[in-house]
Amino acid sequence: MQLLQHANARSSHSKPTATGGGVSFAFIGLMVGFAFCFMQPKMLPYMLFAALLTIVGLLDDLFEVRALWRFAIQFLSTIVLFWSVGTIDFTVSLLGPGLFFFALLGCLLAAIWWLNLVNFMDGIDGLVATQSAAIMFCAVLLGSIAVGTPMGIFELWGVIVASAILGFLMLNFPPARIFMGDAGSYFIAAAMLAMFLFSSFQTPHVIVAWLLLAAPLVCDATGTLVVRFLQREKWYAPHRQHLYQKLSRRWSSHRLATLTYLAATLFIMLPLAVLSILLPEVAVILLLVTYSVGMAFVIILGAGRPEHA
């Protein structure tokens, strides 16, 4: 299979580069995941969800699937996933029937936004690969801290997936020789969403920890979207106005931008996530403050605005 990504309105590279490399770690993750389903049947809906989105991403790499079809598949598959793994019952038990509809709608929109923002953030060498591997490893560590027991089969799957991504990173780290493509970014988004949902059902107070670990990615993508929307730009059109893209051009270095985001995750978000587990009474405050500061930081540094603005 020959896949070549040429420079376009969204990309930050200047020469054609091989893409579709994410199929490698997606294949490993799915094969191991389906095998683990024999030991942990509850994993099956998550693996089917990840497999479907990976196939959609691969088809998009090959044939450029229309955005409307991608969104429709994401929407329907996420609803089916929520229903099959008990997200609806979990939401009712956590928030009560009064807020059920709004909470479930919010969860659904957040999940679909996550599936797409990971793809949007895959715009410079190594960024999504390093971030996803770091978040997965950290989340497994935090889960062990939260429950005080060794990792289970789902957590072991997360470690294997993260390790496979690190193997791919050898070719994707700046300067990248191959990109992961939509197949890789959709698989990563689905795998992380699966780990988040599964761990949340087992230990609800890790929810905030997960959200804190994802803050660098979420704040960049969301802050950029908000600014572009407020400026009445075509917020849905391809662009190069994310903060990570601006930093890579400002510093003339994909590597420095990628390592900056990795440092933020490991040295700022991870300690905050640990604190949210050790002091659950301040977890929500930590989350609100972190995201408020993160969004402000992204907007102040010019995300979502043209270079001359």
Side-chain angles (χ1 to χ4, degrees), residues 155-199:
E155 291 76 18
L156 176 59
W157 177 75
V159 170
I160 292 172
V161 170
S163 300
I165 293 172
L166 288 182
F168 167 76
L169 188 58
M170 296 176 64
L171 297 175
N172 185 243
F173 195 73
R177 285 172 281 174
I178 189 170
F179 299 148
M180 68 174 63
D182 289 348
S185 61
Y186 280 141
F187 170 77
I188 283 176
M192 294 174 70
L193 179 61
M195 290 180 65
F196 167 72
L197 290 174
F198 190 86
S199 61

Side-chain angles (χ1 to χ4, degrees), residues 219-260:
C219 288
D220 190 334
T222 307
T224 300
L225 178 72
V226 169
V227 171
R228 285 175 57 81
F229 180 80
L230 292 177
Q231 293 188 147
R232 298 182 179 179
E233 292 193 42
K234 293 182 179 179
W235 51 269
Y236 49 84
H239 63 87
R240 298 197 305 162
Q241 296 175 359
H242 285 285
L243 177 60
Y244 74 88
Q245 293 170 316
K246 287 177 173 284
L247 292 178
S248 69
R249 291 195 298 274
R250 190 175 303 168
W251 297 336
S252 299
S253 173
H254 286 208
R255 179 174 300 186
L256 185 55
T258 293
L259 291 177
T260 297

Side-chain angles (χ1 to χ4, degrees), residues 72-216:
I73 293 172
Q74 291 168 4
F75 185 81
L76 292 174
S77 61
T78 303
I79 290 177
V80 172
L81 176 68
F82 279 9
W83 172 78
S84 61
V85 303
T87 303
I88 296 176
D89 294 335
F90 178 74
T91 304
V92 172
S93 66
L94 196 65
L95 299 175
L99 297 175
F100 161 69
F101 174 77
F102 298 102
L104 187 61
L105 179 62
C107 290
L108 179 62
L109 294 177
I112 294 174
W113 174 229
W114 171 254
L115 295 175
N116 286 281
L117 80 82
V118 172
N119 181 259
F120 297 157
M121 294 296 288
D122 183 32
I124 64 171
D125 301 348
L127 178 63
V128 165
T130 54
Q131 285 296 105
S132 59
I135 291 172
M136 287 181 179
F137 281 128
C138 291
V140 171
L141 172 65
L142 293 174
S144 298
I145 294 175
V147 300
T149 59
M151 61 183 176
I153 194 71
F154 210 117
E155 291 76 18
L156 176 59
W157 177 75
V159 170
I160 292 172
V161 170
S163 300
I165 293 172
L166 288 182
F168 167 76
L169 188 58
M170 296 176 64
L171 297 175
N172 185 243
F173 195 73
R177 285 172 281 174
I178 189 170
F179 299 148
M180 68 174 63
D182 289 348
S185 61
Y186 280 141
F187 170 77
I188 283 176
M192 294 174 70
L193 179 61
M195 290 180 65
F196 167 72
L197 290 174
F198 190 86
S199 61
S200 298
F201 296 154
Q202 305 301 313
T203 315
H205 59 275
V206 302
I207 293 176
V208 171
W210 263 100
L211 296 176
L212 286 169
L213 290 174

